[in-house]
Amino acid sequence: MLGKLMNLLQSLLIQNVPFTIEDAATLLHLPKDKTSMVLARYEKQGHLKRIKHGLYMPVSERFLTQAQSLSDSWKVVPSLFSKSYIGGWSAANFWQLTEQIFETTIVLSIDPVTHTNCKKLGFNYKVFTAHGDFGLDITWRDAVSVPISDPHRTILDMVNNPACGGGIQHTLDCVNVYVKEQMNETLLMEYAQKYTKGSFYKRLGFIAEKTLGKKHRLCLLAKENLTAGYAKIDTTLSCPKLITRWNLFINENIAL
């Protein structure tokens, strides 16, 4: 009996994408309670992995070995994290803004989050709060549609929070590549106006001034939105030098 059911499930398993109890019940022509029992047995045998209540992922050697590809950790993001997208250093690598490869996948959640580091299904994730759902693209992992920030949103997210960009120096390296190879001034201006944090405009103004010149529209936009108070260019670093025109403390060895 189980062998026949397993054969029916093959159409789900070979796709190697998450599926619900309802998906399996429809395929097997069984009630949900009996389907749950079948899936639980296959999970115990190691054929399936339960991602969360009512949602399963097929298990294969390729999916679980140490040679996990970047696409594996991305593929389950829509199931693990609601209203979220791939961003930060993960998106920067995807868009060829950096050659560095990080083992941890960056996820930005449109809903506020209270934690950043988590491990799920053997994958490491850093989760940050996003600022709206604009500037998103789609990448496909097998049959799974995974949202990802486009190059312009990726850069601005990293300016807004250098932690998701691998720190300020790596963020600046990505900015330099972006300006030389992929910059779209119209989209960058449109996206930048959607941010609300004063620290974002302080960092943006300083970086835009250094890379594009103080008369560039992006620099002027930052100046218009400059707020009182001070911010650090990277909250994880000692930043003893104050740039008064941007109310921004920077680290001494910053390289632009």
Side-chain angles (χ1 to χ4, degrees):
M1 174 66 175
L2 282 175
K4 291 182 179 179
L5 293 176
M6 191 64 183
N7 289 335
L8 287 173
L9 283 172
Q10 284 299 317
S11 61
L12 288 175
L13 300 179
I14 61 176
Q15 294 179 57
N16 202 19
V17 298
F19 63 90
T20 65
I21 291 178
E22 288 78 7
D23 294 331
T26 299
L27 180 68
L28 300 175
H29 302 291
L30 290 175
K32 283 181 59 177
D33 57 345
K34 291 187 177 180
T35 301
S36 296
M37 294 173 61
V38 172
L39 297 180
R41 183 171 299 187
Y42 281 120
E43 180 187 12
K44 186 176 181 179
Q45 293 174 352
H47 298 298
L48 302 173
K49 180 76 173 179
R50 191 173 75 164
I51 298 175
K52 59 184 180 181
H53 181 71
L55 190 66
Y56 292 82
M57 182 74 199
V59 169
S60 67
E61 291 183 2
R62 177 181 66 81
F63 191 74
L64 293 180
T65 59
Q66 293 182 351
Q68 293 162 327
S69 67
L70 182 68
S71 63
D72 287 332
S73 63
W74 290 24
K75 184 163 51 181
V76 292
V77 164
S79 300
L80 293 175
F81 307 99
S82 61
K83 296 183 181 179
S84 62
Y85 60 90
I86 300 291
W89 68 54
S90 300
N93 179 268
F94 179 86
W95 297 116
Q96 299 181 328
L97 298 173
T98 179
E99 294 182 353
Q100 288 196 41
I101 298 177
F102 298 82
E103 291 185 1
T104 300
T105 299
I106 296 295
V107 176
L108 282 98
S109 172
I110 295 167
D111 290 334
V113 295
T114 56
H115 63 282
T116 55
N117 298 300
C118 60
K119 188 168 186 176
K120 295 178 180 289
L121 301 179
F123 298 115
N124 294 315
Y125 297 95
K126 279 185 176 292
V127 188
F128 298 89
T129 300
H131 293 268
D133 57 357
F134 59 91
L136 303 184
D137 207 329
I138 291 292
T139 182
W140 289 89
R141 293 295 189 255
D142 292 332
V144 180
S145 171
V146 182
I148 183 172
S149 55
D150 68 18
H152 327 291
R153 176 71 193 270
T154 298
I155 286 295
L156 293 177
D157 277 344
M158 294 195 296
V159 169
N160 182 60
N161 187 351
C164 77
I168 189 58
Q169 190 55 61
H170 184 254
T171 293
L172 293 174
D173 293 341
C174 293
V175 168
N176 286 328
V177 174
Y178 172 80
V179 168
K180 292 176 182 177
E181 300 179 4
Q182 300 192 45
M183 183 170 174
N184 183 318
E185 184 176 324
T186 300
L187 284 178
L188 207 60
M189 286 290 296
E190 177 186 332
Y191 293 174
Q193 295 177 70
K194 297 180 183 294
Y195 289 80
T196 58
K197 290 171 59 179
S199 58
F200 166 77
Y201 287 106
K202 294 177 175 69
R203 295 190 191 101
L204 180 67
F206 175 77
I207 294 170
E209 182 181 75
K210 294 295 184 183
T211 56
L212 300 169
K214 61 182 180 181
K215 293 186 178 180
H216 191 274
R217 288 198 301 155
L218 207 61
C219 194
L220 297 176
L221 173 68
K223 182 66 72 174
E224 291 172 1
N225 288 276
L226 193 63
T227 57
Y230 300 97
K232 294 171 67 174
I233 196 164
D234 188 327
T235 58
T236 67
L237 300 177
S238 173
C239 298
K241 183 177 180 180
L242 176 62
I243 307 299
T244 55
R245 63 185 175 278
W246 293 113
N247 292 350
L248 185 71
F249 284 99
I250 68 169
N251 49 316
E252 293 283 4
N253 59 344
I254 191 171
L256 283 163

